[in-house]
């Protein structure tokens, strides 16, 4: 698993005892789902995931009455996974495909039995279909594609080397030829890969 800066955001969110649902927005294929899965499996006893693109029937969990007990009963019956209060992260992926999730999140957060993370790529496209936005119950977080520093980590550049580079930049000191050559190659590949 690649190291991403957004993982620290997830850890900080979990530490906040009064946290809201976290809605992570961002372009497709930047690692949102992978990051949330890793976080959920490493930091919770139970991790429940519903992807509204790959499982179109899951939207039925949120049809009809949006009473919290009805939703949780539907959710536990549908997923057939253990959900222990205080020990469970529920991850709603591609929520733009099920606008009722965004409406229901207010009731789920108020209930406080479980933690919730939502993720979506094109949330603005269907915003008119959301009956009531969860103002005050949802924290939005914009995730971006891998930045250069994350790319360097992924390619084995040590944090001490990155600190050295930052120090050279701050003091205007030239870097060694060996480091310069390595960084030029990595920068070039980052630009080519990133498009």
């Amino acid at each position: 698993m690649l190291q991403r800066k957004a993982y620290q955001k997830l850890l900080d969110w979990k530490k906040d005892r009064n946290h809201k649902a976290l809605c992570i927005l961002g372009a497709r294929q930047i690692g949102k789902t992978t990051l949330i899965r890793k976080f959920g499996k490493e930091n919770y006893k139970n991790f429940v995931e519903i992807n509204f693109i790959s499982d179109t029937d899951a939207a039925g969990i949120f049809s009809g009455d949006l009473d919290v007990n009805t939703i949780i009963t539907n959710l536990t019956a549908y997923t057939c996974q253990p959900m222990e209060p205080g020990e469970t992260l529920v991850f709603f992926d591609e929520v733009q495909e099920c606008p009722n999730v965004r409406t229901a999140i207010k009731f789920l957060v108020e209930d406080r039995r479980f933690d919730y993370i939502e993720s979506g790529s094109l949330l603005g496209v269907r915003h008119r279909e959301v009956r009531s936005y969860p103002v005050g119950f949802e924290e939005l977080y914009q995730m971006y594609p891998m930045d250069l520093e994350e790319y360097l980590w992924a390619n084995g550049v040590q944090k001490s080397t990155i600190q050295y580079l930052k120090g050279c930049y701050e003091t205007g000191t030239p870097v060694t030829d060996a480091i310069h050559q390595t960084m030029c190659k990595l920068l070039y590949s980052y630009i080519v890969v990133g498009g």
Side-chain angles (χ1 to χ4, degrees), residues 18-132:
N18 296 313
H19 61 250
K20 308 168 186 178
L22 184 63
C23 185
I24 300 178
L25 314 172
R28 292 195 179 280
Q29 305 299 315
I30 63 167
K32 296 183 304 291
T33 299
T34 302
L35 182 75
I36 296 165
R37 282 180 185 148
K38 175 180 169 41
F39 170 75
K41 291 173 182 175
E42 290 179 353
N43 292 280
Y44 288 86
K45 184 176 178 183
N46 304 298
F47 176 69
V48 175
E49 176 182 351
I50 295 179
N51 181 307
F52 292 102
I53 286 181
S54 63
D55 189 357
T56 55
D57 293 337
I61 296 167
F62 297 92
S63 62
D65 187 7
L66 293 181
D67 167 72
V68 70
N69 289 322
T70 302
I71 295 168
I72 290 174
T73 299
N74 289 346
L75 186 61
T76 55
Y78 190 85
T79 63
C80 296
Q81 294 182 27
M83 293 178 61
E84 299 173 50
E87 301 287 338
T88 303
L89 174 64
V90 179
F91 172 35
F92 298 123
D93 199 8
E94 304 293 355
V95 292
Q96 72 275 1
E97 298 301 317
C98 183
N100 279 345
V101 171
R102 307 260 334 267
T103 301
I105 207 72
K106 172 187 188 285
F107 311 114
L108 294 170
V109 169
E110 281 182 325
D111 180 65
R112 308 224 45 92
R113 276 184 263 183
F114 312 114
D115 289 347
Y116 299 91
I117 293 181
E118 308 155 280
S119 175
S121 301
L122 301 168
L123 291 178
V125 172
R126 299 180 70 180
H127 73 278
R128 289 190 178 102
E129 296 178 33
V130 177
R131 289 186 276 166
S132 174

Side-chain angles (χ1 to χ4, degrees), residues 107-175:
F107 311 114
L108 294 170
V109 169
E110 281 182 325
D111 180 65
R112 308 224 45 92
R113 276 184 263 183
F114 312 114
D115 289 347
Y116 299 91
I117 293 181
E118 308 155 280
S119 175
S121 301
L122 301 168
L123 291 178
V125 172
R126 299 180 70 180
H127 73 278
R128 289 190 178 102
E129 296 178 33
V130 177
R131 289 186 276 166
S132 174
Y133 279 95
V135 177
F137 295 91
E138 181 184 68
E139 178 184 350
L140 300 177
Y141 177 74
Q142 184 71 42
M143 187 171 163
Y144 297 97
M146 184 179 287
D147 67 21
L148 179 60
E149 187 172 22
E150 291 170 325
Y151 186 76
L152 294 177
W153 295 340
N155 281 280
V157 175
Q158 300 300 303
K159 290 187 179 184
S160 58
T161 303
I162 294 171
Q163 283 306 112
Y164 166 77
L165 290 167
K166 288 178 180 178
C168 289
Y169 174 78
E170 290 168 2
T171 61
T173 307
V175 299

Side-chain angles (χ1 to χ4, degrees), residues 4 144-155 182-195:
R4 299 297 306 271
Y144 297 97
M146 184 179 287
D147 67 21
L148 179 60
E149 187 172 22
E150 291 170 325
Y151 186 76
L152 294 177
W153 295 340
N155 281 280
T182 300
M183 291 303 116
C184 284
K185 288 176 189 172
L186 287 169
L187 179 60
Y188 177 75
S189 67
Y190 174 74
I191 292 168
V192 170
V193 170

